[in-house]
Structure formats: C-alpha cells, structure tokens
Amino acid sequence: MNGTRPGGAGRASFTVAVDGPAAAGKGTIARAIAARFGLAHLDTGLLYRAVGLRAAAGEEPEAAARALAAADLDRPGLRGEAAAGWASRVAAIPAVRAALLDFQRTFARRPGGAVLDGRDIGTVVCPEAEVKLFVTASPEVRARRRWLEQGGEAAAVLAEVQTRDARDAGRADAPLRAAPDAVVIDTSAMDAEAAVAAAAAVVAARLPPG
Ligand code: CDP
C-alpha cells in the first residue's frame, strides 16, 4: 500500500466487495459507496442477467458468456425477475462463471478503486478485497422491496426470491455465502439511508490514510 487514498486516476487500487441475497439492498449501497468515495461501480448481476437472456434466446450459455458485449447490458427486460431467474440458472454453470472472472478482476483492481456487488465477490472474485460487506435482510422484507419496485403478485415475488436464493446458496461453484472476514449488514429494519451510513462507516475506517 503506498499511502494514497482512492478516488482518482493514478491512485492506488482499493476494492469494496458487496455480496448478499436477492433484493437485500446491495445495489443501493454499492452505488452510494461508489459516489461517496469516488470509486467505479460494477453490478456483476447484470453480467449474469445478460448471459441469461442470451441463453433464454437459445444460445449455449458458455458461448454467450464469452461473447458478452456492452450492448447486452442495454437489453430490454435485463432488470426484471424473468432475467433474474435465467441468470441464476446460467450462474450455476462453472464455465460461465470462469468466462466472466477476468473482466470482474480487472475491473476490481482498476486504479482509483472499485465497488463490485454480487454473490461471490468477497469469496471468489476478490478474496483480497480491502473491504467486504455482506448485505442481507429477511426473505419477507426483500420480497416486499422487490414487489414495490416491480409489482406483480406478492406471493409469487416471495416464491421467486426464495427459489433463486436456494439455487444461489446451493450450487457447488461459488455458492452465495459471507466471506469469513465480511462485515454483515442486516438491513431488515433499516431504510436505505441507514444502510448506506452503516456501509460507509466500514469503508471509511478501512481507507488508507492520506
Ligand atoms: O438484483 P438481485 O440481487 O435480485 O440479483 P442480481 O444481483 O442482478 O443477480 C442475478 C443472479 O445472478 C443471482 O441470483 C445469481 O444467480 C447470479 N449472480 C451470481 O451468481 N454471481 C454474481 N456475482 C452476481 C449475480
């Protein structure tokens, strides 16, 4: 560590890993941390969602992961629950995960620092991350947040969230779990502002002095 603070070109790399189950508030926290500390942000779920949509259209999943292009991240429906379901299916395929690894690692170590949110950032993608957060909340709270965002049938949204969590936590390759050295933030009883404040306090305490 060279004693510089992150937050600008030419500064040291500094990685914040944000993992957790569906709709726990990872994205809100990751975006806010990136803005507050001047870090780049990558929502790694979008990569799996984009591969999922290509697979849903008939492409072989590993080939889809290798061919992923920036335009895939503009696909209609990318942020919906159908794409999320496809994402968690292709995410269980080791060759798909392997194909997406280099891009994520290079992003994580970019000069100036980066925040990545996903399922396996602190455990597999960036085990050396300077900060690891595991953001969680009860399934009912998470399903309610997703329902408020997307609408639909509340019971069906809860069932989808629970099915996806079980698939993500149960897969053999890079299952969803907190890294042993992650700080757990349970947002069940927190609003977004409180969750961001809790995360920001952890990041601020780990920033190199400058
Ligand atoms: O927004 P939400 O938390 O519901 O999902 P997401 O982060 O967009 O991720 C969609 C799916 O992609 C997850 O259910 C995982 O199966 C998969 N994923 C993964 O396996 N590893 C990651 N680093 C990110 C997402």
Side-chain angles (χ1 to χ4, degrees):
M1 203 43 83
N2 64 9
T4 56
R5 293 174 73 86
R11 309 270 178 92
S13 71
F14 180 86
T15 307
V16 180
V18 184
D19 292 304
K26 299 181 300 290
T28 300
I29 286 178
R31 274 191 301 277
I33 292 294
R36 185 167 311 185
F37 297 100
L39 308 170
H41 172 222
L42 177 64
D43 175 353
T44 64
L46 293 181
L47 306 177
Y48 290 92
R49 286 168 178 263
V51 174
L53 286 184
R54 287 179 73 139
E59 212 170 329
E60 194 281 315
E62 181 186 351
R66 294 194 181 286
L68 211 60
D72 286 310
L73 301 181
D74 292 328
R75 287 185 174 234
L78 192 66
R79 291 165 198 276
E81 239 357 84
W86 277 99
S88 82
R89 285 185 203 103
V90 298
I93 303 170
V96 166
R97 306 198 70 82
L100 299 177
L101 204 51
D102 278 356
F103 175 76
Q104 295 176 83
R105 285 194 173 143
T106 302
F107 191 97
R109 281 299 171 198
R110 57 166 50 199
V115 185
L116 287 80
D117 70 278
R119 300 291 186 287
D120 62 339
I121 309 303
T123 51
V124 174
V125 177
C126 304
E128 310 296 332
E130 281 77 8
V131 180
K132 297 180 186 180
L133 303 174
F134 191 83
V135 182
T136 189
S138 73
E140 291 73 21
V141 167
R142 293 187 288 111
R144 180 170 165 74
R145 287 182 190 152
R146 202 34 55 98
W147 175 74
L148 288 171
E149 279 169 11
Q150 302 196 335
E153 172 65 43
V157 175
L158 176 61
E160 274 163 7
V161 161
Q162 287 176 319
T163 301
R164 193 145 61 85
D165 286 351
R167 204 185 282 138
D168 290 349
R171 69 187 174 215
D173 189 20
L176 168 67
R177 64 176 174 79
D181 52 346
V183 176
V184 177
I185 300 177
D186 186 331
T187 69
S188 300
M190 291 180 186
D191 62 14
E193 201 183 330
V196 167
V202 178
V203 175
R206 305 269 169 94
L207 279 175

